[in-house]
Amino acid sequence: MTHPPRTPRVVLTPDEAAELDRLAAAVTEHAEALERARTALGRAAGRIAAGYERGGPAAVAAKVGWSRQHVSTLAAAHRAQTQTVETAEAA
C-alpha cells in the first residue's frame, strides 16, 4: 500500500507564532473567567431561590433561562451547604 507524500510543515514567522500564542492565551483566560462567572451565577441563583418558600426557583429560572428543576437543585445545594456551616459553627 502506498501513501501519498506528506505535505511539508511550514515554519511560522515569529510574529505569526506570537499572535497565535497571544490569542490562544486570551481564549484560555476568557474560558476560565466564563467558568468563574457561571459558578458565581449558579451560587447566586441557588442562594436567591432558597430564600423563598415557594416560587423562588421558578422566578430565578425564568430570569436566567434555566429550568426550574435545575434552580431547585441549586437551591437545595445551597440549603444543605448552609446547614453544614451552621452545624459546624454550633459545634
Side-chain angles (χ1 to χ4, degrees):
M1 179 180 220
T2 62
H3 297 284
R6 287 187 171 197
T7 304
R9 186 181 303 176
V10 299
V11 177
L12 300 175
T13 67
D15 287 344
E16 291 169 335
E19 178 182 10
L20 292 173
D21 288 344
R22 179 180 54 80
L23 292 171
V27 167
T28 299
E29 179 182 332
H30 286 80
E32 291 168 354
L34 178 60
E35 188 57 36
R36 288 190 301 272
R38 282 183 178 151
T39 299
L41 178 59
R43 287 182 179 154
R47 176 181 44 79
I48 292 167
Y52 293 93
E53 293 265 337
R54 297 179 64 85
V60 171
K63 180 65 178 172
V64 298
W66 293 343
S67 71
R68 186 189 55 75
Q69 291 82 4
H70 180 66
V71 177
S72 293
T73 300
L74 294 171
H78 175 77
R79 287 186 196 104
Q81 185 178 25
T82 301
Q83 289 173 349
T84 301
V85 169
E86 289 173 356
T87 302
E89 289 175 353

